[in-house]
Amino acid sequence: MENDGPKALDPKVAALKDAVTDIEKFVATDGWDAPIRIFAIVKAVPALEKAPELAEELPADVAVNAITDPNTLFSVEQEGLPQASTLEELLAQLAWPEEVDGAAIVAERIIVPPSAEMDLPKDPQRALIALSEHPEREDVRMAVGYMREGHSWCAVRTRSHDNDADVVGSPDAVPGLVAALKATFE
């Protein structure tokens, strides 16, 4: 994974990278141990043409008349998500109308070295406690975006390097979440 590769990104991927990075930074302001959050992503120019009143909801530092790049994206956090006991179950319940061009999900997970998983208790609750208390555990926040057109971007932050400059990203850093988001458009 890399922050900014030596070669230029496709403009559509660059726009999604910007949107996902902004979403991750926005979620980071609420701190760690947060619930899963879902965002719809729409192309700014067509969205403003269809619904000019959206301009009133934009942050004060966004000049609507300056939004001329057809790749500029807006994200809208989704509230009232369906009840689900797992991330997979939640995503399986989502579907997007044609007006939504993409989606992003932000979720936190615990990662440990493979050796830590060898002697885990069989009981899922006890296993979770053992993992959360493991001395080599690392908390990660993953923000993953997928566009209906087929491109994706993933931004990953670790609790041990919790600042915006240390967020890393790539189109395929979290392939399972990319595939799960893609399925919400099929």
Side-chain angles (χ1 to χ4, degrees):
M1 290 188 293
E2 54 190 57
N3 278 328
D4 289 306
K7 68 178 189 173
L9 290 174
D10 172 277
K12 291 180 180 183
V13 175
L16 182 58
K17 174 187 175 189
D18 291 346
V20 170
T21 301
D22 288 346
I23 289 168
E24 194 285 329
K25 286 179 185 176
F26 170 73
V27 171
T29 63
D30 289 339
W32 287 88
D33 304 316
I36 294 168
R37 293 169 76 173
I38 306 279
F39 296 79
I41 299 175
V42 295
K43 294 176 183 173
V45 173
L48 287 168
E49 287 171 356
K50 287 180 188 172
E53 66 275 8
L54 287 176
E56 297 171 17
E57 297 180 33
L58 297 176
D61 63 337
V62 176
V64 174
N65 59 357
I67 301 174
T68 57
D69 181 347
N71 297 308
T72 300
L73 301 172
F74 290 159
S75 61
V76 181
E77 186 166 7
Q78 303 300 291
E79 296 181 5
L81 295 172
Q83 291 295 320
S85 56
T86 66
L87 175 62
E88 294 78 11
E89 184 182 317
L90 173 63
L91 289 172
Q93 297 179 63
L94 298 181
W96 302 99
E98 288 299 317
E99 300 81 32
V100 173
D101 299 300
I105 185 166
V106 180
E108 296 177 12
R109 290 293 181 259
I110 297 170
I111 58 172
V112 293
S115 61
E117 297 179 21
M118 295 172 95
D119 297 320
L120 285 177
K122 300 291 184 218
D123 176 61
Q125 288 296 84
R126 288 182 178 197
L128 182 59
I129 291 168
L131 289 173
S132 66
E133 294 175 349
H134 194 278
E136 294 179 79
R137 78 173 266 173
E138 181 67 76
D139 294 336
V140 296
R141 178 182 304 115
M142 304 166 293
V144 176
Y146 177 83
M147 296 299 287
R148 194 181 292 273
E149 299 166 338
H151 48 279
S152 60
W153 191 264
C154 308
V156 179
R157 178 188 301 248
T158 62
R159 192 183 293 236
S160 64
H161 294 91
D162 189 10
N163 76 58
D164 293 348
D166 290 332
V167 174
V168 295
S170 77
D172 55 3
V174 191
L177 274 182
V178 170
L181 268 180
K182 177 182 178 183
T184 68
F185 288 94
E186 297 172 345

